[in-house]
Amino acid sequence: MSFMEKILSIMQKPGQDPVAKDDVPWWMKFAGRGLGTVGSLIAIFLGAWNCASILMGSIYCLFSGIWQMVAGFIVVMIEAPCCCIFIDFVQNLSDWAERRPYWNRAAAYCLMALPPVFLCMGLSSLFGSGLIFATGVIYGLMSLGRKAPLRDMRSAATNVEVPSSSTQATLVENAQPMGFSNKPDSNV
Protein backbone atom coordinates (compact mmCIF):
# COMPACT_ATOMS: atom_id res chain seq x y z
CA MET A 1 0.00 0.00 0.00
CA SER A 2 1.46 3.34 -1.06
CA PHE A 3 1.62 6.41 1.11
CA MET A 4 -1.16 8.15 -0.85
CA GLU A 5 -3.47 5.15 -0.48
CA LYS A 6 -2.90 5.23 3.28
CA ILE A 7 -3.77 8.92 3.39
CA LEU A 8 -6.90 8.34 1.31
CA SER A 9 -8.00 5.50 3.57
CA ILE A 10 -7.61 7.77 6.60
CA MET A 11 -9.65 10.55 4.96
CA GLN A 12 -12.60 8.26 4.15
CA LYS A 13 -15.65 8.26 6.35
CA PRO A 14 -16.66 5.01 8.04
CA GLY A 15 -18.79 2.91 5.69
CA GLN A 16 -17.95 5.09 2.67
CA ASP A 17 -17.76 3.39 -0.71
CA PRO A 18 -14.13 3.59 -1.95
CA VAL A 19 -15.29 3.99 -5.56
CA ALA A 20 -16.49 7.52 -6.35
CA LYS A 21 -20.03 7.79 -7.67
CA ASP A 22 -19.60 11.18 -9.30
CA ASP A 23 -17.12 12.67 -11.71
CA VAL A 24 -15.66 15.28 -9.35
CA PRO A 25 -11.86 15.16 -9.14
CA TRP A 26 -10.43 13.91 -5.84
CA TRP A 27 -8.37 17.05 -5.32
CA MET A 28 -11.48 19.21 -5.51
CA LYS A 29 -13.26 17.09 -2.90
CA PHE A 30 -10.30 17.38 -0.54
CA ALA A 31 -10.01 21.12 -1.26
CA GLY A 32 -13.65 21.64 -0.32
CA ARG A 33 -13.45 19.55 2.81
CA GLY A 34 -10.06 20.98 3.86
CA LEU A 35 -10.99 24.60 3.27
CA GLY A 36 -14.33 24.02 4.97
CA THR A 37 -12.67 22.54 8.04
CA VAL A 38 -9.79 24.99 8.40
CA GLY A 39 -11.82 27.98 7.27
CA SER A 40 -14.64 27.30 9.69
CA LEU A 41 -12.23 26.97 12.62
CA ILE A 42 -10.65 30.29 11.64
CA ALA A 43 -14.13 31.80 11.25
CA ILE A 44 -15.04 30.69 14.78
CA PHE A 45 -11.92 32.33 16.18
CA LEU A 46 -12.45 35.55 14.20
CA GLY A 47 -16.11 35.55 15.20
CA ALA A 48 -15.04 35.55 18.84
CA TRP A 49 -12.73 38.43 17.97
CA ASN A 50 -15.71 40.29 16.50
CA CYS A 51 -17.66 39.64 19.69
CA ALA A 52 -14.91 41.30 21.67
CA SER A 53 -15.68 44.52 19.81
CA ILE A 54 -18.64 44.97 22.15
CA LEU A 55 -16.06 46.65 24.39
CA MET A 56 -15.95 49.44 21.79
CA GLY A 57 -19.75 49.72 21.84
CA SER A 58 -20.49 48.11 18.49
CA ILE A 59 -23.60 45.97 18.90
CA TYR A 60 -23.69 45.07 15.20
CA CYS A 61 -20.23 43.58 15.40
CA LEU A 62 -21.38 41.49 18.35
CA PHE A 63 -24.25 40.07 16.27
CA SER A 64 -21.87 39.61 13.34
CA GLY A 65 -19.43 37.66 15.51
CA ILE A 66 -22.16 35.44 16.94
CA TRP A 67 -23.49 34.72 13.44
CA GLN A 68 -19.98 33.97 12.18
CA MET A 69 -19.26 31.58 15.05
CA VAL A 70 -22.55 29.72 14.51
CA ALA A 71 -21.90 29.51 10.75
CA GLY A 72 -18.38 28.22 11.39
CA PHE A 73 -19.69 25.65 13.84
CA ILE A 74 -22.30 24.41 11.33
CA VAL A 75 -19.66 24.10 8.61
CA VAL A 76 -17.24 22.22 10.87
CA MET A 77 -20.07 19.88 11.93
CA ILE A 78 -20.80 19.05 8.28
CA GLU A 79 -17.25 18.93 6.93
CA ALA A 80 -15.37 17.40 9.87
CA PRO A 81 -17.74 15.59 12.22
CA CYS A 82 -14.71 14.11 13.98
CA CYS A 83 -14.08 17.55 15.52
CA CYS A 84 -17.50 17.45 17.20
CA ILE A 85 -17.58 13.80 18.25
CA PHE A 86 -18.95 14.76 21.67
CA ILE A 87 -22.30 15.83 20.13
CA ASP A 88 -24.65 12.94 19.31
CA PHE A 89 -26.44 14.21 16.20
CA VAL A 90 -23.39 15.50 14.32
CA GLN A 91 -22.72 12.27 12.42
CA ASN A 92 -26.36 12.09 11.32
CA LEU A 93 -26.22 15.72 10.14
CA SER A 94 -23.00 15.09 8.24
CA ASP A 95 -24.41 11.96 6.58
CA TRP A 96 -27.57 13.85 5.60
CA ALA A 97 -25.46 16.66 4.07
CA GLU A 98 -23.35 14.12 2.15
CA ARG A 99 -26.46 12.69 0.50
CA ARG A 100 -27.57 16.12 -0.73
CA PRO A 101 -26.40 17.52 -4.09
CA TYR A 102 -23.34 19.77 -4.04
CA TRP A 103 -25.29 22.87 -5.02
CA ASN A 104 -27.33 22.65 -1.78
CA ARG A 105 -24.18 22.86 0.28
CA ALA A 106 -22.80 25.63 -1.95
CA ALA A 107 -25.92 27.75 -1.55
CA ALA A 108 -26.09 27.18 2.20
CA TYR A 109 -22.45 28.10 2.79
CA CYS A 110 -22.58 31.19 0.58
CA LEU A 111 -25.79 32.44 2.21
CA MET A 112 -24.49 31.78 5.73
CA ALA A 113 -21.33 33.77 5.01
CA LEU A 114 -22.99 36.99 3.87
CA PRO A 115 -24.75 38.45 6.97
CA PRO A 116 -21.62 38.89 9.14
CA VAL A 117 -19.99 40.95 6.39
CA PHE A 118 -23.05 43.20 6.02
CA LEU A 119 -23.50 43.61 9.78
CA CYS A 120 -19.91 44.55 10.59
CA MET A 121 -17.59 45.41 7.72
CA GLY A 122 -14.21 44.61 9.14
CA LEU A 123 -11.17 42.56 8.30
CA SER A 124 -12.03 39.77 10.73
CA SER A 125 -15.59 39.33 9.47
CA LEU A 126 -14.51 39.68 5.85
CA PHE A 127 -11.75 37.07 6.15
CA GLY A 128 -13.64 34.62 8.38
CA SER A 129 -16.82 34.69 6.34
CA GLY A 130 -14.78 34.81 3.15
CA LEU A 131 -13.31 31.40 3.92
CA ILE A 132 -16.80 29.95 4.40
CA PHE A 133 -17.93 31.66 1.18
CA ALA A 134 -14.91 30.24 -0.68
CA THR A 135 -15.90 26.77 0.53
CA GLY A 136 -19.35 27.41 -0.95
CA VAL A 137 -17.76 28.46 -4.22
CA ILE A 138 -15.73 25.24 -4.37
CA TYR A 139 -18.88 23.19 -3.80
CA GLY A 140 -20.62 25.25 -6.47
CA LEU A 141 -17.85 24.39 -8.91
CA MET A 142 -18.17 20.75 -7.90
CA SER A 143 -21.88 20.87 -8.71
CA LEU A 144 -21.11 22.00 -12.25
CA GLY A 145 -19.21 18.79 -12.91
CA ARG A 146 -16.38 18.09 -15.29
CA LYS A 147 -15.75 20.01 -18.42
CA ALA A 148 -16.41 18.19 -21.67
CA PRO A 149 -13.41 16.78 -23.56
CA LEU A 150 -11.84 19.09 -26.14
CA ARG A 151 -13.02 16.92 -29.02
CA ASP A 152 -16.66 17.18 -27.89
CA MET A 153 -16.45 20.93 -27.40
CA ARG A 154 -14.96 21.43 -30.86
CA SER A 155 -17.63 19.32 -32.50
CA ALA A 156 -20.37 21.21 -30.67
CA ALA A 157 -18.87 24.52 -31.77
CA THR A 158 -18.71 23.51 -35.43
CA ASN A 159 -22.26 22.10 -35.51
CA VAL A 160 -23.93 25.42 -34.72
CA GLU A 161 -27.00 25.73 -36.88
CA VAL A 162 -27.67 29.09 -38.48
CA PRO A 163 -31.29 30.19 -38.52
CA SER A 164 -31.25 30.85 -42.26
CA SER A 165 -28.65 30.76 -44.97
CA SER A 166 -29.90 33.88 -46.73
CA THR A 167 -28.46 37.30 -46.14
CA GLN A 168 -31.91 38.57 -45.12
CA ALA A 169 -31.95 36.49 -41.90
CA THR A 170 -33.16 38.46 -38.91
CA LEU A 171 -33.31 37.73 -35.25
CA VAL A 172 -36.89 38.90 -34.98
CA GLU A 173 -39.45 37.33 -37.28
CA ASN A 174 -41.71 40.36 -37.65
CA ALA A 175 -38.97 42.93 -38.28
CA GLN A 176 -39.49 45.28 -41.19
CA PRO A 177 -36.87 45.26 -43.94
CA MET A 178 -34.34 48.03 -43.71
CA GLY A 179 -34.39 50.58 -46.46
CA PHE A 180 -33.28 54.07 -47.22
CA SER A 181 -35.70 56.91 -47.00
CA ASN A 182 -35.50 60.28 -48.65
CA LYS A 183 -33.87 63.17 -46.89
CA PRO A 184 -36.25 65.09 -44.69
CA ASP A 185 -37.61 68.13 -46.35
CA SER A 186 -36.07 71.22 -44.82
CA ASN A 187 -38.90 73.48 -45.95
CA VAL A 188 -41.45 72.05 -43.57
Side-chain angles (χ1 to χ4, degrees):
M1 181 179 267
S2 70
F3 179 71
M4 192 61 186
E5 289 173 348
K6 288 180 183 178
I7 296 294
L8 290 176
S9 68
I10 291 172
M11 295 292 287
Q12 285 180 349
K13 292 178 123 185
Q16 182 180 0
D17 190 13
V19 178
K21 292 180 179 63
D22 52 4
D23 59 349
V24 177
W26 64 269
W27 59 269
M28 192 171 260
K29 287 182 182 178
F30 288 136
R33 190 166 296 276
L35 183 63
T37 303
V38 174
S40 62
L41 294 174
I42 292 173
I44 291 171
F45 173 74
L46 292 176
W49 186 263
N50 268 354
C51 287
S53 68
I54 191 66
L55 299 174
M56 303 298 173
S58 176
I59 191 76
Y60 290 114
C61 287
L62 173 71
F63 291 141
S64 169
I66 291 170
W67 186 287
Q68 188 170 335
M69 287 191 303
V70 169
F73 187 66
I74 290 171
V75 172
V76 83
M77 281 192 315
I78 292 172
E79 296 298 326
C82 61
C83 294
C84 304
I85 202 161
F86 51 88
I87 302 175
D88 294 335
F89 66 89
V90 169
Q91 189 63 43
N92 294 335
L93 175 70
S94 179
D95 291 340
W96 177 80
E98 288 292 325
R99 289 190 301 268
R100 308 292 302 158
Y102 289 129
W103 70 268
N104 290 146
R105 211 180 304 185
Y109 290 170
C110 289
L111 289 176
M112 278 192 307
L114 292 178
V117 176
F118 292 133
L119 286 173
C120 179
M121 182 61 79
L123 203 58
S124 60
S125 62
L126 191 66
F127 185 67
S129 293
L131 291 172
I132 295 174
F133 191 85
T135 304
V137 168
I138 288 177
Y139 277 108
L141 290 173
M142 287 168 61
S143 71
L144 292 176
R146 274 192 195 266
K147 209 166 78 169
L150 182 62
R151 181 176 2 106
D152 294 344
M153 288 192 295
R154 280 190 181 156
S155 68
T158 57
N159 291 337
V160 175
E161 296 180 20
V162 254
S164 175
S165 61
S166 70
T167 57
Q168 298 293 328
T170 59
L171 293 175
V172 181
E173 295 296 326
N174 61 354
Q176 299 294 324
M178 292 181 59
F180 295 105
S181 61
N182 294 335
K183 282 183 166 180
D185 198 13
S186 62
N187 295 345
V188 177

